[in-house]
Amino acid sequence: MSERRALGMVANLVLYYAALGGVAWLVDRWLPALGPFFAEKSPGAAAIAMLGALALVCPVAWMYMKTKPKARYDSSLVQTVIVLPVVIAGVVLIVRDSIALAFSLAGIVAAVRFRNTLKDTKDAVYVFLAIAVGIAAGVQSFSIAFVVSLIFAFLVLVLWRYDIGTAPATERVRGRLIAETAIPTAAHPAIAGVLEQHPRSWKLIASESAARGITSLTFLVSLRPRTPPDELVAAVRRDAAGQIASARFDQDS
């Protein structure tokens, strides 16, 4: 169910950031002993800054992939969010402590304009976050970038889990998803995978014979305000194709 999926995502984030903090502690402890190659403004320092930016932005991109509705999902934005902070970290290292280089970079950016229409205006927040992480990594303020990335990831998770900011629906859509299948052991996991993404909550309430060799699986479903029943049925038919014979949604009156 949605609660189980959200808890799993929280656990994954906690493990990732804990592992990342452990790696950062080891690098900070052993870096002085690695020689001039990892000194400030050296190739090694540049590599650490750019890899640090990449490590800190990966959970942000992962949160976008997990929480964004498929109708407004933009794969190019995911790639931009991952690559942008790495590039910015490298640029900041180049122009750091040099006013002349900074003004030169500003002139180049003004001359070369990149235009991209986002599917969702809220996606601009991810771009700003990527820029912030890249700049922080470039000036080697990894602790700040760590906190920014951590709080942002958990904030997005909370907003997604509880639908904060979503316009209230006049009435919540509840009903029964009924799928007929000849192979219930294969159909149930496929349908459950869809139900983990779309409804607010769900549970299997019946599994009974509908005809010779056909089993009817009935799921009690409470839909999110932004998920119409037709979209849920279409997703089940698409993702469980080959395991089900038919699927329909009977809305409670």
Side-chain angles (χ1 to χ4, degrees), residues 169-187:
T170 54
E171 56 183 51
R172 184 172 298 175
V173 178
R174 287 194 176 96
R176 288 167 173 78
L177 175 70
I178 303 172
E180 294 186 346
T181 176
I183 42 176
T185 55

Side-chain angles (χ1 to χ4, degrees), residues 179-181 208-217:
E180 294 186 346
T181 176
E208 54 191 7
S209 297
R212 185 178 180 86
I214 299 296
T215 300
S216 177
L217 301 176

Side-chain angles (χ1 to χ4, degrees), residues 10-35:
V10 169
N12 288 334
L13 285 173
V14 170
L15 290 174
Y16 182 87
Y17 281 107
L20 193 60
V23 172
W25 180 81
L26 291 174
V27 171
D28 182 66
R29 180 171 181 178
W30 295 106
L31 200 60
L34 296 178

Side-chain angles (χ1 to χ4, degrees), residues 220-240:
L220 184 63
V221 175
S222 177
L223 293 176
R224 297 177 184 276
R226 60 174 178 265
T227 305
D230 291 344
E231 181 179 323
L232 174 63
V233 173
V236 170
R237 289 173 177 170
R238 180 185 64 247
D239 295 350

Side-chain angles (χ1 to χ4, degrees), residues 29-182:
R29 180 171 181 178
W30 295 106
L31 200 60
L34 296 178
F37 185 77
F38 288 94
E40 186 177 358
K41 297 184 179 180
S42 66
I48 290 175
M50 297 177 74
L51 291 175
L54 177 62
L56 288 165
V57 83
C58 279
V60 174
W62 182 71
M63 287 303 302
Y64 178 89
M65 295 170 63
K66 290 294 184 181
T67 62
K68 199 68 176 177
K70 290 184 178 180
R72 297 195 296 272
Y73 184 83
D74 189 350
S75 59
S76 64
L77 179 66
V78 177
Q79 298 174 9
T80 300
V81 169
I82 293 174
V83 175
L84 185 60
V86 179
V87 175
I88 289 178
V91 171
V92 170
L93 288 170
I94 294 172
V95 303
R96 189 177 181 182
D97 302 327
S98 174
I99 297 178
L101 286 175
F103 277 108
S104 298
L105 177 64
I108 293 172
V109 172
V112 182
R113 297 181 179 181
F114 298 92
R115 296 185 181 273
N116 182 32
T117 302
L118 297 174
K119 293 183 179 180
D120 189 343
T121 55
K122 296 188 294 295
D123 291 349
V125 177
Y126 286 87
V127 177
F128 286 129
L129 188 279
I131 293 173
V133 170
I135 292 175
V139 298
Q140 298 180 341
S141 296
F142 293 107
S143 59
I144 296 176
F146 183 91
V147 173
V148 170
S149 174
L150 175 66
I151 292 178
F152 182 88
F154 277 97
L155 180 60
V156 170
L157 179 59
V158 170
L159 293 176
W160 167 79
R161 173 62 187 85
Y162 295 103
D163 287 324
I164 297 175
T166 302
T170 54
E171 56 183 51
R172 184 172 298 175
V173 178
R174 287 194 176 96
R176 288 167 173 78
L177 175 70
I178 303 172
E180 294 186 346
T181 176

